[in-house]
Each structure stands twice: as C-alpha cells, then as structure tokens.
Amino acid sequence: MPSNTSIVYFKHPTEFPVVGEHFGPKTDPDFRPVLKDGEFLTRNLVFSLDPYMRGKMRDSSKKSYSPAYEIGKPLDSRGVGEVIESKNDKYPVGSIVHAFVGWEEYSVVTANSPTQIISDARESKLPLSAYVGVLGMPGLTAYGSLKDIGKPKAGETIFISAASGAVGQLAGQLAKAWGLTVIGSAGSDDKVDFLLKEVGFDHAFNYKTRTTQEALSEFAPNGIDIYFENVGGETLEAALNHLNTHGRIIACGMISQYNTTQPYGIKNLGLVVGKRLTIRGFIVSDFHEQYSEDFFREVKALLLENKIVYRVDEANGVGAAPEAFVGMLQGKNFGKQVVKVADL
Amino acid sequence: MPSNTSIVYFKHPTEFPVVGEHFGPKTDPDFRPVLKDGEFLTRNLVFSLDPYMRGKMRDSSKKSYSPAYEIGKPLDSRGVGEVIESKNDKYPVGSIVHAFVGWEEYSVVTANSPTQIISDARESKLPLSAYVGVLGMPGLTAYGSLKDIGKPKAGETIFISAASGAVGQLAGQLAKAWGLTVIGSAGSDDKVDFLLKEVGFDHAFNYKTRTTQEALSEFAPNGIDIYFENVGGETLEAALNHLNTHGRIIACGMISQYNTTQPYGIKNLGLVVGKRLTIRGFIVSDFHEQYSEDFFREVKALLLENKIVYRVDEANGVGAAPEAFVGMLQGKNFGKQVVKVADL
C-alpha cells in the first residue's frame, strides 16, 4: 500500500480557521487498512468543500444538524472514489462510488450514509465533480428547497445571494426555467459578469461595490417574493425590507456569520409579522425522499443538453484542500469548490 | 340625536403615542348622520384595543397588512353595538352586531368587513366583551396560528410570551388541552400567579425579574418545540437558543419593538439554518375560512362549560380608550384590553 495523506482536524476555530493551527495535512507513510465486513476502500478522485462544514468545526457538545468533526481525525465530505478493495458485495472492486469519504487520498468507507455507484462514470460526458456539485448535495439543496420552501410561481421575483456559488448558480437557473425573474448578488465583477452573460440571470450586482438595499430598489421595484438566503447579516436585512407580503425566505446558509464572534444583529425582523413572511431552515436530507429522483433525472438531462451552465472551482491535490476551504469561506472561490485528488 | 364622542387620530407617533398629541377625544355636540343604502348606525357597547393597532399609526405610504389610520378620522376596532337605525335589511334596528366600529359612542357601519349578528346577546351568559376577545379576533388568532403554524403534538413544549394577554392566555389553554407542556412569560408577579393558579400553565415567570434565557433553561431542560411570539427582541433571541430541531415560531407580534426608533438586533438568527426552524408571520384573516367555524364552536363550548378562564381588562367609557391603549403597549393591562362604552 502506498502512503495516504489526510487533512486532519486539530482544534476548534472561533473565527476563520487557520491552516496548520486548526487543520492540516498528515501523511501515513505505510497505510495498511484492515477492512471489516461491509467496508470497502476507495482511491479518492474528487471531493466537495462546502460552507456547512465550517459548522462542523465546533465543540461536539454544541448540537447541530450535522455532527461535529472529531479532533485528531480526517475531515470528511461527499466525494467520488474508485473501490480498490472491498468486503461489501454491493460495492465491488472497480466500481466508482459517490459516498462520504475523508479529505484524503484513500478512505475506508462503511456505506452507512447514502452511497451510490455511478455506473456510467467511465464513459459519461459529465465530469466526476458534477456528482458532488450540480448533481449532488448542493444541487438537491437548490432544487428541493426552492420547490418545498420557495414555492415559486411563474411571474414572481427571486433574489439569490452568493449566487455564483455551488447552490446559487443552480437555484438561479431552475428559477429562470420555472418562469421567475432572477436577481443575484456576488462578491466580484467577474462573478457578476458570469451570472449575467453565461448563467442568464436577469440582474446581478457586486455587493462589495453597491448595497443590496440600493440594488434591490433598482432591480425589484415591485419587491421580491422569494429570498434564497446564503449569507445572512446586512443582506438578509435588505432582503426583508424588499420582500412582498407572503414572501418566503429559504434559509440555506448565513456564511457571513460563520467566522465571527460578533454576529450582526438583524433589526427589522418585525417585518415577518407585518408582511406575513415565512423563514425556513432545512438540510438537504429533508428533501431526499420527496425530490431525489425527480431532481437527478431533470437536472442530469438539462446538463447533458447543455441547458445548464455549472461552474466548478477545482483545487488540485488533497494538500490544497485547507487553503481552498478557507478561501471559499472568504468568497475567493468562483463556482462550486471541489478538490481533485486523482485522475480516474 | 345626542352628542357623539370619538377618539380621533391627530399625528403619527415615532415612539409611544401620547394622548392629546397623537390621538384624543373629540365631541360632535349635534351628531346627525345621514345613512346611505346598506349602512346602519350602531350605539357602541364595547370595543377592542389590540397591539396591532399601533402598526396602523403610521404614514399610509408605508404598506402593511392593515391599512394606516387616517389623520383627522376616528380610530377603529372590532366592537359590539346595538343597531339603532338601519338602511340594511340584514341588520335591522334592535340587532346586536359584532363589527368594525369607531372608537366612539355611535358609528355608521358599512358592513363591508366581517359583520355578524349575535343572536343570543340579550340572554347569553357570556359578557359581550367575549365577542371581541376570546371568541373574536384574538381568539381566532390564537387558535388558527397554533394549529396552522405551531402544528402542536401532544408531549411537545410551547413557550408563550405576553402570556396573560388577549392571545396568550387562550393559546396556553388550547395548547394545554391538546397535551403540551406550557411555559409563559408575563410582566408582573400578579400575572404570573394568574397564569399558574387560574389559567393552569405548567410554568410561568416574570421577565422583569429573571431573564428568559435562564427561565427556559430551568423550565425546558429538553428545549421548546414551539415559540408563540408576541414580544420580539431579547425574548425572541432567548427562544431561538432554546428551540429544538424543527421548532416553529408563530410570529404573532413583536410588541417590544413597536414603540422604539432603535429596534433590537437579533444576533442568533443563524440558528434558523442550524436547527431547521420555521418562522411564520400571519394575520387572523389567513385563518378565517379554514378555522372560523371550528374555533367558534369549540371555544364557545369550553367557555360555557367554564373550562376556559379568560381575563378581561375593561376601561370605562370611550374617553378612557387612549390611556388604556398606551397602557396596553406598556404592558399595564392585565388580560384582554377592552373599552366598555355603554350598557346593553
């Protein structure tokens, strides 16, 4: 067996995690895993980096929807790997699986959590990263929450923050396909250009050069009906100001609040009463049963027909994962952040 | 015709309204209304004062669910009156009606908004004030929102703020009847005693002498499932901390934020994502169609069987209305605030 480099969790951060202090690479020079019945070993090809993982970097006594990362263990994520050893008949050697793997080169997988074989992986026109992005957790997040919480109706207006990110870019295209006017915010002029010229948003703006309050006044003179919330803070406050009666907030994430000990105070929450708004948080597994199949079929078809644009930001090699993760939390990624570990 | 004293709206307040400056009594010494077809004239007996009316004291250019009060006109409210002149066959002279009336002795009613004849008013054991309280808008508010947004399940725990108020006291008793553990907060030891000894709450506390954060830690060691929100601010923040996964917030009102130009900033709204919470605002008319009949039948039966306690705070005479209204906004009322105008 060759050596195995993993990104290991060292210490809970209170603000932005620091590479080397809170997490970093560790190499096992002589990796000889002994598989138990039901387990299999993957050679990892690609894995996902997602903002929700910052919430797992916490003391395990603080409960949340996703268990805390364990100090001293590798971080984990949805990924795609090749089975190279197996004690599980459902996942034989040679199969390509979409599963929870470590941020590492090789992982022992128990298949307790959702694991699928990608049967057409070797001949598909889609990159493997699609399975952890537009066809994976972020994709279902966009699709399920938009349908279930957003309840979009043709003719309505949706505002999406972090719109060029893993969830935002698909949410925008689905909303557009379903007949909505789509407004997005992002953190650079390049991202705004991408949203307008490649993704097909109706309006987009750079929140670093103009306020969301002002941009929504211009782009949504009749208000917004749905706010797809990825960032929190002042953006949420502005969206509350512009939501119409019976507006809905899809509370997907609040990334602006993840890395600070001084969270922003939302001062206009009274509008929830006055405008009869609904705000709902969720996690992707809330939608597995109801939407998984429809989502996968619909979005895969759109991708294969090139009717959906989906931009991926690929870091190269497992060693690049920590920097890429911090960069993503700071908005430096452009598109869905993944780590490419190896070629198929 | 005798004289007619009305409480007239003078000016928009920015903080607490001031009697004489923002609203006050005005007497028409020679009140001779000329009815149009469809109108009728009521001699008012009782009318309701409710916190939502503070939201109507605003510039009409600011939209909200309820139209702004008009400068120079009497304020209005749900009330009960006797029809003493009529150009509407559905509401003949002598009938007792539950309708929107002015804060005044006599009102011309158009019956555009929901108007019901109380056929048993003269022989009923229930006080007329019940029709603007526990059997009226506040009652349906508690019943409909609890069912539709709270989705209560036996064995769950609910926390209700402003629990001795018009909505809170009924919400608590319904939740109790449906098998929940009920915790309430109120602003005086007398109110807390009332909740514990007369209304039958499981736990109650005075938010002026201990923090909601601390009280919920003691009374809800396993968290709360529903928060019936009437006050906003720090209370909401504490409730967010204690809500369980998939918890629901019934956003009925945020009275602590109605009379200030410096609203409180809610700093832990990220918990909506982490705990998959739902927050929903509403107005009572959202529930008219679905719940009105069930509500009226169920709650009237419970009242007549003395299975529901319902405390009313009665101000005497139309001239007492402005002070009573400001007192209610400051939490000085004890129970549902009404104004008794005249005897039947």
Side-chain angles (χ1 to χ4, degrees):
Chain A
M1 197 74 204
S3 72
N4 186 15
T5 297
S6 305
I7 307 302
V8 172
Y9 188 43
F10 299 147
K11 192 180 153 189
H12 308 309
T14 51
E15 303 194 347
F16 282 102
V18 175
V19 183
E21 184 181 349
H22 301 104
F23 61 160
K26 235 177 135 176
T27 298
D28 180 347
D30 188 29
F31 181 60
R32 293 172 186 275
V34 179
L35 298 181
K36 296 189 201 112
D37 277 347
E39 292 181 341
F40 57 85
L41 181 68
T42 55
R43 179 175 73 90
N44 296 330
L45 304 170
V46 64
F47 62 82
S48 180
L49 295 181
D50 300 286
Y52 82 90
M53 295 167 179
R54 176 62 182 81
K56 292 167 72 72
M57 294 180 162
R58 67 177 194 274
D59 190 316
S60 61
S61 69
K62 291 181 197 158
K63 284 189 193 159
S64 187
Y65 57 90
S66 191
Y69 283 132
E70 272 180 79
I71 300 282
K73 295 268 176 76
L75 295 101
D76 62 29
S77 173
R78 298 296 289 176
V80 175
E82 179 185 13
V83 178
I84 57 169
E85 223 188 292
S86 181
K87 285 202 165 187
N88 187 323
D89 292 344
K90 284 171 69 183
Y91 307 100
V93 170
S95 43
I96 308 298
V97 295
H98 175 207
F100 266 100
V101 298
W103 295 16
E104 58 196 350
E105 293 171 287
Y106 299 92
S107 294
V108 174
V109 178
T110 57
N112 286 335
S113 45
T115 304
Q116 300 97 25
I117 290 183
I118 307 173
S119 54
D120 62 352
R122 290 177 202 273
E123 59 273 0
S124 173
K125 278 181 229 156
L126 300 176
L128 290 178
S129 61
Y131 292 87
V132 299
V134 62
L135 287 177
M137 188 274 286
L140 181 57
T141 295
Y143 185 97
S145 66
L146 202 53
K147 284 223 161 174
D148 213 55
I149 302 172
K151 297 181 172 63
K153 288 185 274 293
E156 289 191 327
T157 297
I158 186 171
F159 167 52
I160 302 171
S161 54
S164 68
V167 175
Q169 50 179 319
L170 181 60
Q173 291 173 89
L174 291 171
K176 193 77 200 143
W178 297 339
L180 283 80
T181 298
V182 180
I183 304 168
S185 64
S188 76
D189 290 343
D190 281 353
K191 291 177 182 177
V192 169
D193 272 357
F194 166 72
L195 291 171
L196 289 173
K197 292 175 188 160
E198 295 182 52
V199 186
F201 275 49
D202 295 289
H203 307 282
F205 61 95
N206 179 348
Y207 71 86
K208 289 182 180 163
T209 56
R210 69 187 297 192
T211 66
T212 302
Q213 178 65 27
E214 185 205 40
L216 290 180
S217 297
E218 180 185 336
F219 297 134
N222 298 316
I224 59 176
D225 303 290
I226 306 173
Y227 171 44
F228 202 114
E229 163 68 310
N230 289 308
V231 308
E234 278 179 281
T235 310
L236 173 55
E237 216 167 61
L240 281 163
N241 285 335
H242 288 270
L243 273 160
N244 291 326
T245 298
H246 281 142
R248 294 131 263 157
I249 297 180
I250 301 168
C252 180
M254 299 196 186
I255 198 170
S256 73
Q257 307 297 301
Y258 293 173
N259 300 287
T260 175
T261 51
Q262 300 189 301
Y264 186 88
I266 302 290
K267 287 178 279 301
N268 58 350
L269 213 59
L271 293 172
V272 171
V273 179
K275 299 201 280 194
R276 302 139 87 177
L277 307 178
T278 298
I279 307 179
R280 200 181 120 199
F282 66 96
I283 56 171
V284 65
S285 59
D286 293 346
F287 308 124
H288 274 159
E289 217 169 300
Q290 197 180 349
Y291 294 111
S292 273
E293 278 181 40
D294 286 351
F295 151 69
F296 196 81
R297 194 184 47 246
E298 242 180 87
V299 175
K300 193 171 178 184
L302 290 168
L303 277 172
L304 288 171
E305 292 164 30
N306 289 315
K307 286 190 179 157
I308 280 186
V309 171
Y310 196 77
R311 184 166 177 135
V312 171
D313 193 329
E314 194 171 274
N316 239 303
V318 69
E323 293 288 0
F325 183 71
V326 178
M328 178 190 64
L329 293 176
Q330 292 168 341
K332 289 182 185 159
N333 61 309
F334 187 167
K336 164 68 190 136
Q337 183 67 56
V338 301
V339 176
K340 180 179 172 176
V341 186
D343 284 314
L344 178 56
Chain B
M1 196 75 204
S3 73
N4 186 15
T5 296
S6 306
I7 307 302
V8 172
Y9 187 44
F10 299 147
K11 191 179 154 192
H12 308 310
T14 51
E15 303 195 347
F16 282 101
V18 175
V19 183
E21 184 181 349
H22 301 103
F23 61 160
K26 234 176 136 177
T27 298
D28 180 346
D30 189 26
F31 182 61
R32 296 172 184 274
V34 179
L35 298 180
K36 295 189 201 110
D37 278 347
E39 292 181 339
F40 55 87
L41 181 68
T42 55
R43 179 176 72 89
N44 297 330
L45 305 169
V46 64
F47 62 83
S48 180
L49 296 181
D50 301 284
Y52 83 89
M53 294 165 179
R54 175 63 182 82
K56 292 166 72 73
M57 294 179 162
R58 66 174 195 276
D59 189 316
S60 61
S61 68
K62 291 182 195 159
K63 284 189 193 160
S64 188
Y65 58 89
S66 193
Y69 283 132
E70 273 180 79
I71 299 283
K73 295 270 176 74
L75 295 101
D76 62 29
S77 172
R78 297 296 289 174
V80 175
E82 180 185 14
V83 178
I84 57 171
E85 223 186 294
S86 181
K87 286 205 166 184
N88 187 324
D89 292 344
K90 283 170 72 182
Y91 307 99
V93 170
S95 44
I96 308 297
V97 295
H98 175 206
F100 266 99
V101 298
W103 295 17
E104 56 195 353
E105 293 171 288
Y106 299 91
S107 295
V108 174
V109 179
T110 56
N112 286 335
S113 44
T115 303
Q116 300 96 25
I117 291 184
I118 307 173
S119 53
D120 62 352
R122 291 177 201 272
E123 58 275 359
S124 173
K125 280 181 227 155
L126 300 176
L128 290 179
S129 62
Y131 291 89
V132 298
V134 62
L135 287 178
M137 188 275 286
L140 180 58
T141 295
Y143 184 98
S145 66
L146 202 52
K147 284 222 162 176
D148 213 55
I149 302 173
K151 298 181 171 62
K153 288 184 273 295
E156 288 191 327
T157 297
I158 186 171
F159 167 52
I160 301 171
S161 54
S164 68
V167 175
Q169 50 179 321
L170 181 60
Q173 291 173 90
L174 291 172
K176 192 77 200 143
W178 296 339
L180 281 80
T181 298
V182 180
I183 304 168
S185 64
S188 77
D189 291 343
D190 282 353
K191 291 177 182 177
V192 169
D193 273 358
F194 166 72
L195 291 171
L196 290 172
K197 292 174 188 160
E198 294 181 53
V199 186
F201 274 49
D202 295 289
H203 307 282
F205 63 95
N206 180 347
Y207 72 86
K208 289 182 178 160
T209 56
R210 69 186 298 193
T211 66
T212 302
Q213 179 64 25
E214 185 205 41
L216 289 180
S217 296
E218 181 186 336
F219 297 136
N222 298 316
I224 59 175
D225 303 291
I226 306 173
Y227 170 44
F228 203 115
E229 163 68 309
N230 289 309
V231 308
E234 277 179 283
T235 310
L236 173 55
E237 214 166 62
L240 281 164
N241 285 334
H242 288 270
L243 274 160
N244 291 325
T245 298
H246 281 141
R248 294 132 264 157
I249 297 180
I250 301 168
C252 181
M254 299 196 186
I255 198 170
S256 72
Q257 307 298 300
Y258 292 173
N259 300 287
T260 174
T261 50
Q262 301 189 298
Y264 185 87
I266 302 291
K267 285 178 279 301
N268 59 352
L269 211 60
L271 293 172
V272 170
V273 179
K275 299 201 279 196
R276 301 139 84 179
L277 306 178
T278 299
I279 307 178
R280 202 180 118 198
F282 66 97
I283 56 171
V284 65
S285 59
D286 293 345
F287 308 125
H288 273 158
E289 216 170 301
Q290 196 179 352
Y291 293 112
S292 273
E293 280 181 37
D294 287 351
F295 152 70
F296 196 81
R297 194 185 47 246
E298 244 180 84
V299 175
K300 191 170 180 185
L302 288 168
L303 278 171
L304 288 169
E305 292 164 32
N306 289 315
K307 287 190 177 156
I308 281 186
V309 172
Y310 196 77
R311 184 165 177 135
V312 172
D313 193 329
E314 195 171 274
N316 240 304
V318 70
E323 293 287 1
F325 183 72
V326 178
M328 178 189 64
L329 293 177
Q330 294 168 340
K332 289 181 185 159
N333 61 310
F334 188 167
K336 165 65 191 137
Q337 183 68 57
V338 302
V339 177
K340 182 179 170 176
V341 185
D343 284 315
L344 179 56

